[in-house]
Each structure stands twice: as structure tokens, then as C-alpha cells.
């Protein structure tokens, strides 16, 4: 009988020892991980909480978490074409406090992903009356089936809108290769020392780009599915009663010369965008009308040198002011 009792209790003791050891290892891992994160934070090399594990997107979520602009009336949403090509300090000079702008655009997004991000942001920003997007042909390159969901809203919601520090995301969404790469490069990207991929943001969230010379880069083409997503985004904003300002980025002369002699594809793209917008709530600003820029104004076919961004921003303001839907026209223009 004693032998039987011993054989019954040994597995139980072994199981308890295993559970204790496992819990101890987990605790050590968490403590060591927390200490490592704190050390990286102290040296400005801690990546933003990995909501997407793409540093320029996660850095934008970090900015939205930290910004004091909590009740914007206007948000800019899009890819880096929106992020890097708007100088909202000019809005302050022009409108004072009548317009509260916030550049919420990250990078690398196509139109379907821009629509997804916009819907997410508007759920947490009831003050928004206007959404502004700057689009180039590059934003319409690829919109595969799936709705453009590129992050989990439940991961970002409390961090962006609720004040949570989101430490748990470093463990939940840990991707070692992306994390280690960012640990090496982030400080220089945040300071702007890495000029090809700076993560510097001004107080509105815009990301200045300053390069010694421009590069036409690769050819791009339009995925027709992206136009469908543009229409869906425009309709979504109309249902919310929010004005949609669409700015079509100016063509870089040398890019047109290299990939679209005569500009037929560029013209067709612009016309197609116009056809897919809900005119009840949308103002379309095609910068080929009234804005002439040189190659020296561009870093590439989708971005302006920061010194030339005010030219585009002032053009957008003048075009809006020439309509009855100017940025500071008041709530009466948003009863759509």
C-alpha cells in the first residue's frame, strides 16, 4: 500500500515542481524584458509599441499617443504622400485657433488601408469635421481583397485614445528581427541623422523630408480595385457627415518624362479619382491646375522637399478659401 501511495504522489510532486519552475522562468523573462525595455527607453532606442512592427507606422501611433492635440477639427490621413507634404504651421498663421489640424498619416499605406485607418481614428476623435488626404498614383498601386485592415484596433485603441502605455504589446506582438533593427537605427532616424528615412515629426505630426537631390524612382501603375476603396472611403465620410478634401499630388516633371511621356496616364488617373468621389461631401484639388513645380522641388515623384511643402499647403488653402467650404468656414458647412 505504501508503494502505491508513493507512486501516486510522485507524479503530482513532479508536476508541481514543473509548474513552479515554469512560473519562475516566466517571471524572470518578464522582469528581464521590462528592465531591457526601460534601458532602451532611457537611451532613446526603444521602438514604439509594435502595433504593426513597421517603424514609421508605429512611430505615428506613438505620436498620436503623446500629442497634446486631442480635439482636432481637421485630420490628415494617408501614406507618406500625406505625412510629408503638409506644413500645418501655415494653417495656424492663416486661421489662428479656428482650425485645429493634426497630421495622422503614417507611411506605406494604400487607399484601402487609408480608409481603414481613417475609420479607426474617427471613432476616437468626434471633434473632426474634415479629413484631408494627399494622394499620388503610388497610393493606388495595390488594394488586395481583405478590406485594408493592417492592424488590430483593439491593440491601438487604448494606446492612442486611452492613455495606456501598451507595454504588453512588446510581448504580445514581439518580432525580434524588426525590433533589433529598430534598436540599432531608431535614435538616428528620430533625430533626422538618417536623412533617407527620418522619423522626425513636427508638433502637428508632419514628417519633413530634406534630401540633397531628387530621384524619380520606379514606375507605378494603378490597381482599379483601389478606386473602389476610394469611393467607399468617400461614402463612409459622407455617412459620418465629415468633409473630405482630396489633394492630387503634383507630377514630378522628370518622372512624367521617363514613364508617362505626354502625361496621358497621369491625366487618366486624375480623371478616374474624380469619378469615384462622392460629390456631396468632397472637395477635389487637382494641383495640375494652378501649381507648377520644378524637379528641384521634389525628393521623388511622391514627396516634396520640405522647403517646397509650403507652396503646396498654401495652394490647398487658397483653393479651399475660394469655395464655400473653406477650412475655417464653421460648422454650418459640415451639416451634410
Amino acid at each position: 500500500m505504501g508503494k502505491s501511495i508513493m507512486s501516486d504522489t510522485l507524479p503530482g510532486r513532479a508536476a508541481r515542481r514543473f509548474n513552479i519552475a515554469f512560473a519562475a522562468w516566466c517571471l524572470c523573462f518578464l522582469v528581464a524584458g521590462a528592465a531591457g525595455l526601460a534601458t532602451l527607453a532611457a537611451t532613446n532606442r526603444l521602438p514604439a509599441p509594435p502595433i504593426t512592427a513597421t517603424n514609421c507606422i508605429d512611430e505615428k501611433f506613438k505620436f498620436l499617443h503623446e500629442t497634446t492635440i486631442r480635439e482636432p477639427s481637421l485630420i490628415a490621413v494617408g501614406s507618406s504622400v500625406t505625412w510629408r507634404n503638409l506644413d500645418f504651421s501655415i494653417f495656424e498663421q492663416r486661421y489662428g485657433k479656428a482650425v485645429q489640424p493634426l497630421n495622422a498619416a503614417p507611411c506605406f499605406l494604400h487607399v484601402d488601408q487609408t480608409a481603414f485607418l481613417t475609420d479607426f481614428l474617427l471613432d476616437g476623435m468626434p471633434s473632426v469635421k474634415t479629413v484631408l488626404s494627399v494622394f499620388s498614383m503610388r497610393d493606388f498601386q495595390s488594394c488586395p481583397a481583405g478590406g485594408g485592415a493592417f492592424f488590430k484596433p483593439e491593440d491601438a485603441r487604448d494606446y492612442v485614445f486611452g492613455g495606456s502605455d501598451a507595454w504588453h504589446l512588446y510581448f504580445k506582438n514581439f518580432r525580434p528581427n524588426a525590433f533589433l533593427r529598430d534598436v540599432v537605427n531608431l535614435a538616428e532616424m528620430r533625430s533626422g541623422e538618417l536623412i533617407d528615412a527620418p522619423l522626425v515629426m513636427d508638433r502637428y505630426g508632419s514628417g519633413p523630408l530634406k534630401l540633397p537631390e531628387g530621384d524619380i524612382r520606379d514606375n507605378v501603375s494603378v490597381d482599379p480595385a483601389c478606386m473602389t476603396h476610394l469611393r467607399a472611403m468617400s461614402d463612409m465620410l459622407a455617412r459620418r457627415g465629415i468633409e473630405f478634401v482630396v489633394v492630387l499630388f503634383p507630377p514630378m516633371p522628370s518622372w512624367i518624362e521617363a514613364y508617362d511621356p505626354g502625361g496621358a496616364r497621369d491625366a487618366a488617373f486624375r480623371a478616374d479619382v474624380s469619378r469615384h468621389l462622392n460629390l456631396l461631401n468632397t472637395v477635389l484639388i487637382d494641383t495640375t491646375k494652378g501649381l507648377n513645380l520644378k524637379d528641384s522641388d521634389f525628393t521623388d515623384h511622391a514627396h516634396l522637399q520640405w522647403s517646397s511643402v509650403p507652396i503646396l499647403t498654401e495652394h490647398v488653402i487658397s483653393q479651399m478659401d475660394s469655395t464655400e467650404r473653406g477650412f475655417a468656414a464653421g460648422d454650418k458647412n459640415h451639416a451634410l
Side-chain angles (χ1 to χ4, degrees), residues 271-285:
D272 209 11
V273 167
S274 179
R275 285 193 296 271
H276 283 83
L277 293 173
N278 186 328
L279 298 181
L280 291 176
N281 72 311
T282 304
V283 176
L284 174 62
I285 300 175

Side-chain angles (χ1 to χ4, degrees), residues 7-330:
S7 61
D8 289 340
T9 57
L10 283 176
R13 292 174 181 171
R16 283 194 297 274
R17 285 197 297 270
F18 174 82
N19 290 336
I20 292 171
F22 179 75
W25 277 110
C26 288
L27 180 61
C28 289
F29 172 77
L30 292 174
V31 170
L37 295 177
T39 300
L40 292 174
T43 58
N44 194 33
R45 292 191 179 274
L46 177 65
I51 294 171
T52 67
T54 300
N55 56 30
C56 56
I57 300 178
D58 289 338
E59 285 286 308
K60 178 47 65 86
F61 283 124
K62 180 176 182 288
F63 171 85
L64 294 174
H65 167 77
E66 296 174 346
T67 182
T68 59
I69 305 174
R70 306 313 301 179
E71 295 185 347
S73 59
L74 180 154
I75 60 171
V77 192
S79 68
S80 61
V81 184
T82 300
W83 176 33
R84 297 198 183 279
N85 292 312
L86 290 169
D87 183 354
F88 279 148
S89 69
I90 295 174
F91 275 63
E92 184 172 359
Q93 297 168 14
R94 175 68 176 81
Y95 301 114
K97 299 299 182 182
V99 177
Q100 291 288 314
L102 176 68
N103 194 331
C107 59
F108 296 140
L109 303 190
H110 292 124
V111 175
D112 55 335
Q113 296 165 319
T114 294
F116 177 79
L117 177 60
T118 302
D119 200 32
F120 167 79
L121 292 172
L122 292 177
D123 283 344
M125 296 180 175
S127 60
V128 173
K129 300 177 176 68
T130 303
V131 169
L132 169 62
S133 295
V134 184
F135 288 129
S136 74
M137 195 181 295
R138 195 182 73 169
D139 294 294
F140 292 77
Q141 270 192 290
S142 177
C143 292
F150 65 98
F151 66 93
K152 296 178 180 178
E154 60 270 22
D155 284 350
R157 189 174 295 112
D158 287 344
Y159 180 61
V160 173
F161 302 119
S164 167
D165 288 329
W167 288 101
H168 66 286
L169 295 178
Y170 289 101
F171 300 96
K172 176 183 177 182
N173 296 336
F174 183 63
R175 297 171 176 86
N177 290 339
F179 185 87
L180 292 175
R181 182 179 62 247
D182 287 344
V183 165
V184 172
N185 296 322
L186 260 182
E188 289 73 23
M189 297 174 77
R190 287 170 173 164
S191 69
E193 185 178 342
L194 289 181
I195 62 173
D196 290 336
L199 290 176
V200 178
M201 296 189 209
D202 67 14
R203 65 193 185 95
Y204 303 100
S206 294
L209 194 59
K210 307 170 186 177
L211 294 178
E213 58 184 32
D215 182 353
I216 65 171
R217 301 206 177 187
D218 296 331
N219 191 13
V220 295
S221 58
V222 172
D223 177 358
C226 291
M227 293 294 173
T228 303
H229 285 283
L230 177 66
R231 178 65 192 212
M233 180 177 175
S234 185
D235 289 341
M236 177 269 289
L237 292 173
R239 289 192 300 272
R240 287 179 176 267
I242 292 175
E243 188 169 68
F244 190 20
V245 179
V246 173
V247 179
L248 294 182
F249 191 70
M252 184 180 189
S254 59
W255 188 92
I256 292 290
E257 182 180 353
Y259 298 118
D260 186 22
R265 282 200 304 126
D266 182 65
F269 159 70
R270 294 168 189 274
D272 209 11
V273 167
S274 179
R275 285 193 296 271
H276 283 83
L277 293 173
N278 186 328
L279 298 181
L280 291 176
N281 72 311
T282 304
V283 176
L284 174 62
I285 300 175
D286 184 349
T287 57
T288 59
K289 302 171 183 177
L291 190 63
N292 295 307
L293 297 177
K294 306 180 293 296
D295 278 338
S296 59
D297 292 307
F298 295 80
T299 66
D300 58 64
H301 65 93
H303 305 103
L304 295 176
Q305 298 281 4
W306 187 246
S307 59
S308 296
V309 167
I311 300 172
L312 175 62
T313 306
E314 289 169 353
H315 180 74
V316 170
I317 289 174
S318 68
Q319 293 299 299
M320 286 297 295
D321 283 352
S322 69
T323 73
E324 296 180 354
R325 300 166 119 176
F327 290 116

